[in-house]
Amino acid sequence: MAAYLQWRRFVFFDRETVREPSGPDGAGAKPFALPPGIAVCDSGRGSLVFGDILCGAGRRQIWFLPRSLQLSSFQAYKLRVTHLYQLKQHSILVSIGEDEEGINPLVKVWNLEKRDGGNPLCTRIFPAIPGNKPTVVSCLTVHENLNFMAIGFADGSVVLTKGDITRDRHSKTQILHEGSYPVTGLAFRQSGKTTHLFVVTTENIQSYMLSVKDYPHLELDTHGCGLRCSSLSDPSQDLQFIVAGNECVYLYQPDERGPCFAFEGQKLIVHWYRGYLIIVSKDRKPSPKSEFAGNEAQNSDKQVLNIYDLCNKFIAYSSIFDDIVDVLAEWGSLYVLTRDGKIHVLQEKDTQTKLEACKFMLFRKNLFEMAINLAKSHHLDSDGLSEIFRQYGDHLYNKGNHDGAIQQYIRTIGKLEPSYVIRKFLDAQRIHNLTAYLQMLHLQSLANADHTTLLLNCYTKLKDSSKLEEFIKTSESEVHFDVETAIKVLRQAGYYSHAVYLAEKHEHHEWYLKIQLEDIKNYQEALHYIGKLPFEQAESNMKRYGKILMHHVPNETTELLKILCTDYRPSGGNEGPGMLEGKKANSEEFIPVFANNSRELKAFLEHMTEVQADSPQGVYDTLLELRLQNWAHEQDEQIKEKLHNEALTLLKSGRFKTVFDKALVLCQMHNFKDGVLYLYEQGKLFQQIMHYHMQNEQYKKVIEVCELYGDQEACLWEQALGYFARKEENCKEYIAAVLKHIENKNLMPPLLVVQTLAHNSTATLSVIKDYLVNKLQKQSRQIEQDEQRIQKYREETTRIRLEIEELKASPKIFQKTKCSICTSALELPSVHFLCGHSFHQHCFESYSESDSECPTCMPENRKVMDMIRAQEQKRDLHDQFQHQLKCSNDGFSVVADYFGRGVFNKLTLITDLPSGKTATTIEAGLQRELLIHTKRST
């Protein structure tokens, strides 16, 4: 009979009766009871508010019941209180009541935070009369922004107060609506800056737009409802206006009617609470107009309170009460007031308890969709929802509904381990379902490399190229898989074009080149791709794949290497902004790339030496070796001559000074004579040059070498003489030339020359006759010169000895009249020396270095003394030399050491030492024989 009976019923609320606080003795508290006579009530700001409670003096009061159940009140009207409206965001209470008999309703606005003689401050009073026609007030509503208040009347009028409702000055009251049917409900709806007022009567429903001038209105429906049978939902139902008729419950937007629900029965009270629709109803269905027939107390029939969840379509709670006055919401609970003065509290259970209570029943009856909706509406966490989805998926899977099951499993992604689902769908017949799951797993970026491999294998097994392309050709910001794994799988499955696309798009350069070179074998495209890479990557990939590319596309590879090693800029502009200057690689590192490609290697090396003179040494070394190889193997004489000149030019470029030995070995390996001789000359290896000519028996060249380099290395002539002396053929001409130079430079003793030539059987005495004659003549002349010098030294010695004897035996007369330094006339005081020199005393003191030596003779005397000391020291060195020579194992090294110290240099003595006297004795005697006369004026 009633559609709502088909909805599932749950018990999501606990019902209790409000009891008075326990006494000091701890005895059980009795139920809390309000005095009889409640007319109206409301709630908000931490209190339940009641009006028109009958008390002793007949006065009508407004009562407040806080959570502590301590009632408080103040007198608001003299006769009765008919309507109350407590704002939820402000401590403002609006009441309507009567102070006089008759129809004289007054509106009073109370500020509960301010006091006036102990009572709340009444900030405004005005009569509630539409125009000049008194009528009964039927309903009241106030906007939370305090700028609108609407009062409905039994005659169908609606009075709107706009402005500050707490002040007379700042507000304006006008009749908004006039009609023939009593107004039974009002509600403000605020959406952004737009304000609407819903007006419901017993016969129609209208909405007014208050944010526009002239307040345009729209009739939404042609049926209405009774008093207290309308309410406004919260944002969970899009702030829809709810109208409960006896047949259905309708929901309205400001401009249209929304859904309706077939809840039968006479509706008495309608409220909205935290996403629930609360309806109090009874079975009999009188006309809404009968409520205005009088103020008799309502029938005390049993009444049913139902709490509906409209989103999930179930009844959250249902219970029977005796004569309900109203249902209030405060302190997170619902409070049901009954006519007998009792208060019943409905406390909503916590989410976990509600779900546990209903889950078993829903799962047992396979009502998973309802369980899911219920969990969502109660904001169950993602783990709880995931568990419901899993159980729902398992249920569908067991029933064989694999498509439905995979959709539920997809909703568990991020919570349920993917392997739980994957194992269920590994069968080939379910590969489509597995593909759908893996796709969603990747879209949520929760897939690992194994999942990517499995998904791509699914695509390849299904041969679904379109899906495969859609998967891999997503934009870069939407990549939800491991790219490298995808490339591997596609390559293994033979989808090379897809793998190449993926590698190029995501800059996996190594994989791109591997596939192009090893699978597709598109060498030209691979080389072009390398040319678009940034410098570092282009360099590393050319080192890795250069040999393969050189083998198949040698010319193009060589050209790219030339660019890479000189002035590289990516062809596609991939180096990034700011790269105005090109980069260059080390050309020497790419030489191994040219294995078995000598022609390209030569072109590359020659290009590098031309455009980059400071190329690495390895480039020049390799180019030299390459040119020598070509020269050695060339048969054509003209080409060979050209190659010869090229190799020699390269040697003379000055690039082989630091690698002299290496260049020399290369020239010797290829028997490149001119190169060898050039390097010998550059290295000043004159003996090697001569030996080279000796080995080739080039006698004239031997003589030329001696003439060119003999001044720098005198032993060349001696070696040349020994070489010709060992030759058995007639070499008289060359021997004579060598002997002539030896004679001129006095390079060898004659006896050594004779001994050297004695080994040659063809050399006769006539060959060295002229040499020996000239040598003997020179020695004779030298002997004569020596004898003359000896005679001179003897005469000089005799003269000096006579002078000494004369100084010893005879007085010395000083007859000098001029100073030997300044040549001025000699004046006293003066200084005279036995050598015959005289000086002014001041001149002597100014120029002499010693008081006992003549300044004029001192330099010559010192030379003699130095020679004597040197001879004495060398005599000591001779003894030491003889001792070291006898004790040393290597006598030659000792001789060489003393040669280096100049021990064997010639020394010419001016005079002989007297027998039995040393140089020290002579020096002491000379000092004693010096006589210094100093004359001073008296």
Side-chain angles (χ1 to χ4, degrees), residues 168-193:
D168 288 323
R169 297 179 182 178
H170 303 97
S171 62
K172 179 181 179 182
T173 301
Q174 66 184 91
I175 298 176
L176 177 69
H177 173 80
E178 291 182 330
S180 304
Y181 306 105
V183 177
T184 57
L186 298 169
F188 287 107
R189 182 184 188 272
Q190 186 71 39
S191 178
K193 295 183 179 180

Side-chain angles (χ1 to χ4, degrees), residues 395-423:
H395 168 72
L396 295 175
Y397 181 85
N398 293 331
K399 288 177 62 177
N401 184 1
H402 298 130
D403 293 341
I406 204 66
Q407 293 304 317
Q408 299 307 316
Y409 287 135
I410 286 174
R411 300 168 81 176
T412 67
I413 290 176
K415 298 298 179 181
L416 183 63
E417 176 62 36
S419 59
Y420 177 86
V421 179
I422 293 171
R423 282 197 300 268

Side-chain angles (χ1 to χ4, degrees), residues 734-905:
Y734 304 110
I735 292 174
V738 173
L739 287 175
K740 182 179 180 181
H741 193 86
I742 290 175
E743 179 187 355
N744 294 334
K745 297 295 183 179
N746 193 23
L747 300 177
M748 294 176 65
L751 182 58
L752 185 56
V753 172
V754 174
Q755 289 176 350
T756 301
L757 293 176
H759 298 290
N760 192 326
S761 60
T762 60
T764 60
L765 186 59
S766 60
V767 176
I768 61 171
K769 176 183 177 182
D770 294 339
Y771 168 75
L772 292 176
V773 170
N774 293 333
K775 197 66 177 176
L776 291 173
Q777 289 177 353
K778 285 183 179 180
Q779 289 183 353
S780 298
R781 289 193 295 268
Q782 184 65 39
I783 291 171
E784 292 177 359
Q785 292 176 1
D786 291 342
E787 289 177 349
Q788 292 175 3
R789 189 177 295 113
I790 290 170
Q791 183 63 33
K792 178 181 177 182
Y793 287 160
R794 285 176 178 173
E795 293 175 355
E796 185 70 21
T797 301
T798 302
R799 184 183 63 79
I800 292 174
R801 285 176 178 173
L802 291 175
E803 289 182 0
I804 292 173
E805 290 297 329
E806 184 180 355
L807 288 173
K808 290 179 178 180
S810 304
K812 179 69 175 178
I813 300 174
F814 300 102
Q815 298 179 341
K816 287 279 187 179
T817 59
K818 291 185 179 181
C819 177
S820 298
I821 293 178
C822 65
T823 67
S824 300
L826 200 60
E827 296 177 355
L828 297 178
S830 60
V831 179
H832 304 276
F833 284 89
L834 295 176
C835 61
H837 296 106
S838 300
F839 308 94
H840 292 114
Q841 184 177 358
H842 62 84
C843 290
F844 174 75
E845 291 175 352
S846 300
Y847 288 93
S848 66
E849 296 179 6
S850 173
D851 293 341
S852 59
E853 290 188 79
C854 173
T856 304
C857 299
M858 185 175 60
E860 189 67 27
N861 292 337
R862 286 193 175 180
K863 287 182 182 179
V864 175
M865 296 306 298
D866 290 341
M867 291 172 63
I868 294 172
R869 290 193 191 97
Q871 189 178 38
E872 186 68 24
Q873 291 176 359
K874 288 181 179 180
R875 186 179 67 178
D876 295 339
L877 287 175
H878 172 74
D879 297 337
Q880 185 180 359
F881 169 72
Q882 292 294 336
H883 175 73
Q884 290 184 0
L885 193 61
K886 289 178 182 180
C887 298
S888 175
N889 294 327
D890 186 3
F892 181 78
S893 62
V894 176
V895 174
D897 179 54
Y898 275 83
F899 261 114
R901 292 157 61 181
V903 173
F904 301 105
N905 292 346

